[in-house]
Amino acid sequence: MSELLNITIGDLLEKRAEENPNHEALVYADRGLRYTYHSFNEYCRTVAKGFMKLGLEKGEHVAIWASNTPEWVSAQFATGKIGSVLVTVNTNYQAAELEYLLQQSDATTIILMEKYRDQSYIDILYKIAPELKTSQPGQLKCSKLPFLKNVIVLGEKRFAGTYSWEDVVALGEGCSDESLNERLLSLQPDDVINMQYTSGTTGFPKGVMLTHSNVVNNALNIAACMKLTKDDRLCIPVPFFHCFGCVIGTLACVSVGATMVPVQEFQPDTVLQTVEQEKCTALHGVPTMFIAEINSKNFTKYNLQSLRTGVMAGSNCPIEVMKAVIEKMGIEEITICYGQTESSPVITQTRTDDPINLRVESVGRALPEVEVKIVEPGTAHEVPIGTQGELCTKGYHVMKGYYNNPEATEQAIDKEGWLHTGDLAIMDENGYCKITGRLKDMIIRGGENVYPREIEEFLYSHPDILDVQVVGVPDEIYGEEVMAWIILRDYANITAEEVKEYCKGKISKHKIPKHITFTKEYPM
């Protein structure tokens, strides 16, 4: 397994470009965009110099609000070269959420798409910062957002008070390499370089501060567990604004010199077509994405023989889904990852040669150089092997803390440096962990502990059920009751009563969902 690297994101890309200049780094199949490692590194250097011309300093916060565009990847590595902190913004955010993030993060710059689906991002920004309409680019003075100065819009159209992405590139082209090299040399692997907002268990979202060292080494070890090499081509349909996209995806590729093949916005057929066209050897996704791909009407038309490995993560993986991914998609070396943003994100991962039962019944074992223990919730006491408790982790991957929130940081990371995940788990004698629930998700029904995961796994065994999520809802008599949100297969037409009947005699009476709602989709 890999040694830990003492390197910044900017230097990592420089190194890969030096080693394999003509190897493909970034490919957008749908728009014929192809960068080699040399040309991608040069382009990121130009963008980095453009950012410096705008006055961006080391440690300054740059928010990015866009789907998986080429500019997103360029911004990730360009900020990595100048030491500005990339603050990732969820593409589903609305005005109040964006305003909160920009205020709490002290972002001086925002890069945004003009619009996403039916949302006009630029209109939302004008609503929060009306002063932008009468500002000169780079000189915004907004009462609500005192730090925000620069607004950079992706796309052809021009908007009042903003720069275009092309303006930034043009600024960079007129800037010397010396100043950038000097900045690169001034950065340390332990500097914060990435900030992601996560809701955690209570209150408003918190900005998780991740360093070069956190994410580069996590990416490298994830790649090692997948047996990813420079000869691999990874299709990335998961959003960049999550660690899944920008660490397990783009950075894992660059850590070994593999080819990134992003999909801008998830559509099952676009993913399948991209895999076939680009002969991708690896594919990432949350279980719901794999379910959608396998259930595409055109699934059998695509040639997916190139696929070998990848990562399924983000939520529990149902056994039937894992079998279908291996058997129908041919991803025989697919791995399961578990973690959270606060751990950069991966804590445990299965290995490519693990038997299928370990890949569906566990979330793998600790990554190299990562410690994991299971403790009695609320204490530091380790529980015996096979006993449920809270999963804690320690190592290079633990975040620096929450931005401007020392109290929350103290609650999450104890004095010995252990991050308390809030997840309930069981560890076996070989170190393989099984996530059994979330401390806060556990349903307590009339004094009985009920774990949603267990009920979900059971309901997946019903032939008509495509996907299911189980939650607790308030109940006057029992305190909480079990509710299941179910997506049926296209042909299916079953009732809530039939689902309950299916449960009888197979799972305990108190675990049978009292409330059942059928839905067409979940928020992704």
Side-chain angles (χ1 to χ4, degrees):
M1 281 291 186
S2 38
E3 294 281 301
L4 289 183
L5 294 177
N6 191 35
I7 195 171
T8 63
I9 289 174
D11 276 334
L12 180 72
L13 182 59
E14 299 273 342
K15 199 174 169 193
R16 295 293 166 262
E18 214 172 281
E19 290 166 351
N20 293 296
N22 302 319
H23 192 62
E24 277 193 326
L26 180 65
V27 172
Y28 276 80
D30 59 341
R31 61 189 81 189
L33 182 69
R34 292 178 186 276
Y35 283 113
T36 62
Y37 265 94
H38 172 75
S39 61
F40 182 58
N41 185 50
E42 286 305 309
Y43 183 70
C44 291
R45 284 181 67 90
T46 301
V47 174
K49 290 185 288 186
F51 286 158
M52 285 173 70
K53 269 280 202 228
L54 289 182
L56 292 188
E57 297 292 343
K58 175 181 162 178
E60 204 165 306
H61 292 176
V62 178
I64 183 160
W65 194 24
S67 61
N68 290 8
T69 63
E71 294 91 344
W72 208 112
V73 199
S74 311
Q76 181 183 7
F77 288 93
T79 50
K81 287 180 185 296
I82 65 167
S84 292
V85 179
L86 193 69
V87 181
T88 65
V89 185
N90 190 315
T91 49
N92 298 313
Y93 269 14
Q94 301 291 321
E97 295 154 314
L98 180 71
E99 186 179 324
Y100 170 80
L101 179 141
L102 291 174
Q103 281 174 345
Q104 209 281 332
S105 68
D106 300 331
T108 65
T109 303
I110 183 169
I111 302 164
L112 70 156
M113 295 173 93
E114 178 194 331
K115 63 177 197 299
Y116 173 68
R117 296 187 178 155
D118 56 353
Q119 290 287 331
S120 167
Y121 280 4
I122 189 74
D123 285 349
I124 290 174
L125 191 61
Y126 280 140
K127 191 173 155 189
I128 299 170
E131 298 94 332
L132 184 60
K133 281 193 167 166
T134 53
S135 298
Q136 286 302 307
Q139 289 171 31
L140 173 63
K141 287 184 176 62
C142 171
S143 55
K144 279 188 195 166
L145 306 168
F147 282 86
L148 192 64
K149 299 282 172 283
N150 307 303
V151 176
I152 301 163
V153 183
L154 309 180
E156 309 285 303
K157 282 173 79 176
R158 289 271 168 183
F159 295 92
T162 71
Y163 293 106
S164 71
W165 181 259
E166 291 315 313
D167 292 339
V168 176
V169 174
L171 282 171
E173 281 164 351
C175 186
S176 78
D177 277 326
E178 288 71 36
S179 53
L180 176 59
N181 293 342
E182 207 173 294
R183 178 74 69 89
L184 255 170
L185 284 171
S186 74
L187 309 182
Q188 299 301 318
D190 195 36
D191 295 338
V192 173
I193 197 63
N194 185 297
M195 211 155 92
Q196 310 207 10
Y197 275 76
T198 180
S199 293
T201 48
T202 52
F204 285 100
K206 298 184 281 289
V208 176
M209 297 187 288
L210 300 174
T211 66
H212 296 272
S213 197
N214 282 152
V215 292
V216 166
N217 285 299
N218 204 250
L220 187 71
N221 282 309
I222 292 159
C225 292
M226 290 164 65
K227 294 207 174 99
L228 200 71
T229 70
K230 77 173 186 61
D231 301 321
D232 281 300
R233 301 170 71 79
L234 170 62
C235 179
I236 313 171
V238 288
F240 290 156
F241 66 78
H242 276 310
C243 276
F244 200 166
C246 69
V247 180
I248 305 175
T250 56
L251 258 184
C253 284
V254 176
S255 77
V256 294
T259 306
M260 303 171 264
V261 187
V263 169
Q264 185 164 322
E265 282 157 38
F266 176 75
Q267 289 294 342
D269 281 78
T270 311
V271 173
L272 296 166
Q273 196 180 335
T274 303
V275 167
E276 177 181 64
Q277 191 181 323
E278 290 301 319
K279 294 188 170 50
C280 293
T281 57
L283 174 63
H284 284 355
V286 296
T288 339
M289 287 178 170
F290 284 106
I291 290 169
E293 288 150 16
I294 289 163
N295 284 279
S296 158
K297 290 183 180 68
N298 307 311
F299 179 74
T300 52
K301 293 180 188 165
Y302 297 103
N303 179 351
L304 307 176
Q305 282 178 319
S306 57
L307 285 174
R308 171 186 69 80
T309 187
V311 167
M312 199 189 303
S315 67
N316 302 325
C317 169
I319 290 169
E320 295 310 312
V321 177
M322 177 57 95
K323 283 183 183 160
V325 166
I326 292 172
E327 288 159 17
K328 294 182 181 173
M329 297 184 88
I331 315 180
E332 289 181 3
E333 295 182 11
I334 184 104
T335 65
I336 294 281
C337 281
Y338 156 75
Q340 51 188 210
T341 311
E342 289 87 341
S343 57
S344 307
V346 177
I347 299 169
T348 65
Q349 188 171 358
T350 59
R351 307 310 198 251
T352 55
D353 49 4
D354 279 341
I356 186 167
N357 66 308
L358 275 178
R359 282 189 272 169
V360 289
E361 290 167 11
S362 84
V363 289
R365 53 193 164 92
L367 288 188
E369 310 292 332
V370 163
E371 290 181 70
V372 171
K373 68 176 180 180
I374 311 290
V375 303
E376 208 177 288
T379 73
H381 306 310
E382 275 193 68
V383 297
I385 291 291
T387 308
Q388 178 174 275
E390 184 186 11
L391 189 143
C392 297
T393 187
K394 185 180 181 180
Y396 70 82
H397 60 312
V398 173
M399 65 171 177
K400 237 189 175 156
Y402 296 116
Y403 183 67
N404 278 350
N405 198 338
E407 298 84 6
T409 304
E410 225 168 89
Q411 282 167 10
I413 303 168
D414 67 25
K415 287 179 171 61
E416 274 67 57
W418 288 93
L419 172 70
H420 290 251
T421 63
D423 287 323
L424 294 166
I426 291 170
M427 192 194 287
D428 73 9
E429 61 283 359
N430 299 315
Y432 280 79
C433 297
K434 182 178 183 174
I435 303 299
T436 50
R438 189 122 177 96
L439 272 175
K440 72 171 170 74
D441 284 349
M442 186 175 74
I443 301 165
I444 303 176
R445 183 196 178 275
E448 292 274 8
N449 291 356
V450 178
Y451 296 99
R453 170 80 192 264
E454 184 191 349
I455 302 167
E456 287 163 0
E457 284 292 358
F458 170 72
L459 289 173
Y460 276 120
S461 67
H462 192 295
D464 291 338
I465 290 176
L466 180 65
D467 206 352
V468 58
Q469 296 290 328
V470 170
V471 294
V473 291
D475 184 82
E476 279 184 11
I477 299 168
Y478 293 105
E480 275 188 296
E481 266 293 2
V482 179
M483 179 174 193
W485 291 79
I486 293 172
I487 298 178
L488 294 174
R489 296 188 183 278
D490 286 344
Y491 58 78
N493 187 19
I494 58 168
T495 64
E497 282 315 309
E498 286 170 310
V499 173
K500 290 178 187 180
E501 202 52 47
Y502 179 75
C503 296
K504 281 180 186 165
K506 299 192 187 87
I507 58 173
S508 306
K509 210 170 165 185
H510 67 272
K511 293 177 184 172
I512 297 174
K514 181 182 179 184
H515 309 284
I516 291 173
T517 299
F518 297 102
T519 182
K520 289 279 181 241
E521 59 178 3
Y522 302 129
M524 292 281 277

